[in-house]
């Protein structure tokens, strides 16, 4: 006997509202300004690359590096003339994340406001999904 066949039907849908897609990463004005400042005297670099590494007490941590080229699997975010590239491994973990730059009396750092995070460590440097 032959194996059973599975059928699929295709239907054309008209007048259907398209849902807005979630941005991979959005940048606050403070983050855009800081990235622009960091890159202004480095013409050999085209932007920043964001990634994740397995590290820290809670599983993963963000990495930020200058980049000279877009990787084959990188997702590109272009906002206000600033380019940020997301490594393939980090794309799903960063979906819908806001990247901010925060300065205080004791520190200045990029902060990732990520709705996908389930938990963080006490110091805030590592997270889990």
């Amino acid at each position: 006997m032959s194996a059973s066949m599975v059928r699929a039907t295709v239907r054309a849908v008209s007048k259907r509202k398209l849902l807005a897609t979630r941005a991979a990463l959005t940048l606050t004005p403070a983050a855009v300004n800081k990235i622009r400042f960091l890159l202004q005297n480095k013409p050999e670099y085209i932007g920043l690359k964001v990634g994740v590494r397995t590290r820290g007490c809670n599983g993963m941590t963000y990495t930020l590096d200058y980049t000279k080229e877009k990787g084959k699997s990188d997702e590109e975010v272009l906002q206000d003339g600033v380019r940020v590239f997301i490594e393939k491994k980090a794309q799903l973990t960063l979906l819908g994340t806001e990247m901010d730059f925060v300065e205080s009396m004791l520190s200045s750092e990029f902060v990732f406001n990520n709705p996908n995070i389930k938990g963080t460590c006490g110091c805030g440097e590592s997270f889990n999904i």
Side-chain angles (χ1 to χ4, degrees):
M1 281 205 144
S2 65
S4 63
M5 279 182 39
V6 177
R7 288 183 38 176
T9 303
V10 177
R11 293 189 182 129
V13 178
S14 62
K15 297 184 182 181
R16 182 175 174 193
K17 273 191 167 180
L18 294 176
L19 299 175
T21 58
R22 287 171 72 179
L25 180 69
T26 56
L27 307 172
T28 64
V32 168
N33 291 336
K34 187 61 176 184
I35 294 168
R36 191 174 284 130
F37 174 77
L38 290 171
L39 293 171
Q40 74 182 0
N41 294 324
K42 295 176 178 58
E44 68 272 20
Y45 297 109
I46 61 170
L48 288 184
K49 185 174 284 199
V50 180
V52 291
R53 284 216 172 88
T54 304
R55 194 169 89 196
C57 54
N58 217 333
M60 297 195 299
T61 186
Y62 295 109
T63 61
L64 277 172
D65 293 303
Y66 295 103
T67 187
K68 293 182 178 183
E69 61 185 24
K70 180 182 186 274
K72 186 177 178 182
S73 303
D74 291 349
E75 174 86 18
E76 181 178 358
V77 175
L78 178 61
Q79 185 176 325
D80 299 325
V82 169
R83 296 169 78 184
V84 176
F85 301 92
I86 304 171
E87 292 178 349
K88 184 176 182 176
K89 182 180 174 183
Q91 290 172 6
L92 289 177
T93 61
L94 285 170
L95 188 64
T97 298
E98 176 190 68
M99 182 177 172
D100 194 9
F101 183 75
V102 179
E103 288 184 281
S104 70
M105 298 279 282
L106 298 174
S107 68
S108 60
E109 62 186 344
F110 285 102
V111 175
F112 293 87
N113 299 311
N114 189 333
N116 306 309
I117 290 177
K118 302 290 185 230
T120 61
C121 66
C123 67
E125 288 188 16
S126 64
F127 61 94
N128 64 47
I129 301 283

